[in-house]
Amino acid sequence: MSYKAIYTYAWDLAETGVKAAADEFRGLGLDTVTMAGSYHAGKFMRPHGRAGKVLFPEDGTVYFNADPSRYGAIKPVANSMLSERDMLGELVEQSGMAVNVWLVLLHNTRLGMANTQSVVRNAFGDPYYYNLCPSAPEARAYAIGLARDVTESYPVSGLSMESPGFAPYAHGFHHEFALMKSNPWLENMLGLCFCDHCVSGAEKAGIDARRFKAEVAGDIEAYLDSDIDYPADMAEAFWRADVATNADLRRYLDFRNGVVTSLVAEIRAAVRKDATVAVIPSVARPTAGAWYEGSDLYALAATTGIVEACFYEPSAERIRADLFDIRRRLKGTGTLRGILRPSHPDISNRAEFIAAVEALREGGVEELAFYNWGHLRRANLGWIGDVLRGAQ
Ligand SMILES: [Zn+2]
Ligand SMILES: [Zn+2]
């Protein structure tokens, strides 16, 4: 199956109309529309928006008609647009293109606030409302329900799922604030989840998780009580040393990989067989950093068959390096897709974008996606057409 996809939002499609949008996409050489079916909050610039230029999406809502009976205790919240229009439905009926649905799974602050028993908690027990924990049974039922629901109710070709795992500590929350410097060691320690579900799961895996949780809390406490600021490079080295020398930490990280891989496997098993399931494995750059989120790249590729990696880098050279490394990790398993942003802050000009696509193709990546129609200026959208239609 060919996958030359444009990432889109329902509000942009609604404004332009599905038929006109699809004509534009086909004109750029695209064959697939990847539309957000569940999405989080934001403050988004829409350079070619007609009704307005800045949009705040409703946090943590779905953009398809969900069937509540397909979920457990945590149920999706419908976006208010749905009372008037179902853009996913219009897309599958009217676009004449393959429609792939993009699901943000566990990053959902609205649902986290409403379901605090299922959110990530640090070593002190503080809830991180923006991340439902993949160890929490109700969070898993929600993620599985979402994937099954949308693929059973709509004839989509497949889904691309994001945030199946443990989000890193740094998130960019509203008015995030501290009167001290941060560093990678502190953030990695603060990002480890020790919710009751993780602790009991890790204990079942033979890890003394209560003792390890107390150790992490003690280490963070001692640092916060001191007047030391770790420089970033030293903090990275300290964290690396912890990972290499602390057996409990290593086993805990392995446990987290297992949690996410098994969730992804349950999702694959719940989705109709003829729908493709791709995993967007990580918010880390480069993608190799996915392990902190519990994304084992090889295991995910073996489980779903498709890894859809973000190549959000400023040059074709860096993309080549990232691709070379991801290939090594996948060991020939599964299909690797590439997502590119033909714009700031990644790619500054058309020639570099053409070189970036060429780098992916030379590395055997034929399935490409571009991020994101509503966010890109007209001139940058034009680069996609140039590269897919072969104009140089
Ligand atoms: Zn967010
Ligand atoms: Zn947890």
Side-chain angles (χ1 to χ4, degrees):
M1 189 192 89
S2 171
Y3 183 77
K4 303 280 184 294
I6 184 84
Y7 272 78
T8 58
Y9 298 122
W11 55 83
D12 290 317
L13 292 166
E15 185 183 81
T16 297
V18 159
K19 284 182 178 157
D23 284 344
E24 181 183 334
F25 300 154
R26 272 188 294 267
L28 294 173
L30 298 158
D31 55 29
T32 305
V33 183
T34 292
M35 189 194 103
S38 61
Y39 211 66
H40 49 70
K43 176 186 175 187
F44 293 155
M45 174 68 89
R46 308 171 63 235
H48 53 94
R50 295 174 196 178
K53 300 298 184 189
V54 179
L55 183 112
F56 294 74
E58 293 166 24
D59 192 17
T61 56
V62 296
Y63 296 82
F64 67 92
N65 286 314
D67 174 354
S69 74
R70 289 182 174 135
Y71 300 82
I74 304 178
K75 297 186 193 295
V77 176
N79 189 274
S80 57
M81 255 180 88
L82 284 164
S83 61
E84 289 167 24
R85 292 180 79 176
D86 170 6
M87 296 317 299
L88 191 63
E90 289 189 32
L91 263 184
V92 293
E93 282 163 22
Q94 300 172 25
S95 70
M97 300 178 73
V99 177
N100 181 57
V101 64
W102 161 35
L103 298 177
V104 175
L105 296 180
L106 300 179
H107 172 34
N108 192 316
T109 308
R110 176 191 293 260
L111 295 180
M113 290 277 190
N115 298 277
T116 56
Q117 76 290 349
S118 296
V119 297
V120 163
R121 289 178 184 266
N122 66 19
F124 303 95
D126 306 324
Y128 293 172
Y129 298 111
Y130 56 85
N131 192 187
L132 294 168
C133 178
S135 291
E138 290 175 359
R140 295 171 76 89
Y142 168 74
I144 294 163
L146 208 57
R148 185 181 148 227
D149 190 11
V150 71
T151 50
E152 286 192 358
S153 293
Y154 296 81
V156 292
S157 59
L159 61 89
S160 297
M161 55 183 176
E162 185 178 359
S163 74
F166 298 94
Y169 174 72
H171 172 63
F173 205 74
H174 230 73
H175 309 301
E176 204 161 298
F177 189 71
L179 285 177
M180 60 173 288
K181 288 181 185 165
S182 192
N183 66 71
W185 177 87
L186 182 61
E187 293 191 1
N188 286 325
M189 295 291 267
L190 279 171
L192 293 174
C193 184
F194 291 99
C195 74
D196 292 346
H197 310 289
C198 279
V199 168
S200 67
E203 283 177 343
K204 281 193 197 106
I207 300 165
D208 189 350
R210 264 165 245 259
R211 198 208 57 73
F212 178 56
K213 175 184 177 182
E215 178 187 323
V216 169
D219 285 354
I220 296 170
E221 182 93 62
Y223 180 80
L224 295 176
D225 273 344
S226 78
D227 61 354
I228 301 291
D229 276 326
Y230 287 164
D233 61 321
M234 296 177 84
E236 279 285 356
F238 300 155
W239 169 249
R240 204 158 55 237
D242 285 354
V243 172
T245 61
N246 186 327
D248 284 334
L249 173 56
R250 280 207 311 280
R251 294 174 70 204
Y252 205 67
L253 293 168
D254 287 346
F255 156 73
R256 286 156 57 98
N257 281 339
V259 167
V260 176
T261 301
S262 68
L263 173 59
V264 165
E266 286 170 43
I267 289 171
R268 176 61 275 188
V271 166
R272 65 179 157 79
K273 296 286 169 284
D274 63 332
T276 55
V277 174
V279 191
I280 302 167
S282 183
V283 295
R285 301 278 82 80
T287 289
W291 59 271
Y292 185 81
E293 292 150 80
S295 285
D296 174 335
L297 296 172
Y298 174 80
L300 294 179
T303 302
T304 68
I306 309 173
V307 166
E308 188 161 336
C310 303
F311 289 89
Y312 296 170
E313 296 289 343
S315 72
E317 274 316 295
R318 289 181 63 90
I319 287 168
R320 274 163 46 85
D322 196 7
L323 174 57
F324 192 78
D325 177 78
I326 296 172
R327 285 273 183 233
R328 183 168 66 91
R329 289 172 202 287
L330 294 183
K331 302 183 178 77
T333 300
T335 297
L336 177 63
R337 291 178 177 168
I339 314 174
L340 291 171
R341 297 187 297 201
S343 65
H344 173 83
D346 300 340
I347 304 283
S348 63
N349 63 74
R350 182 178 172 277
E352 195 64 40
F353 177 63
I354 290 168
V357 171
E358 202 48 43
L360 290 180
R361 283 178 166 161
E362 278 171 11
V365 178
E366 287 297 334
E367 299 193 5
L368 300 169
F370 304 97
Y371 195 88
N372 168 310
W373 183 48
H375 286 303
L376 290 167
R377 300 166 94 176
R378 291 265 171 233
N380 299 71
L381 285 165
W383 299 354
I384 299 171
D386 292 346
V387 84
L388 292 183
R389 292 191 317 251
Q392 295 293 314

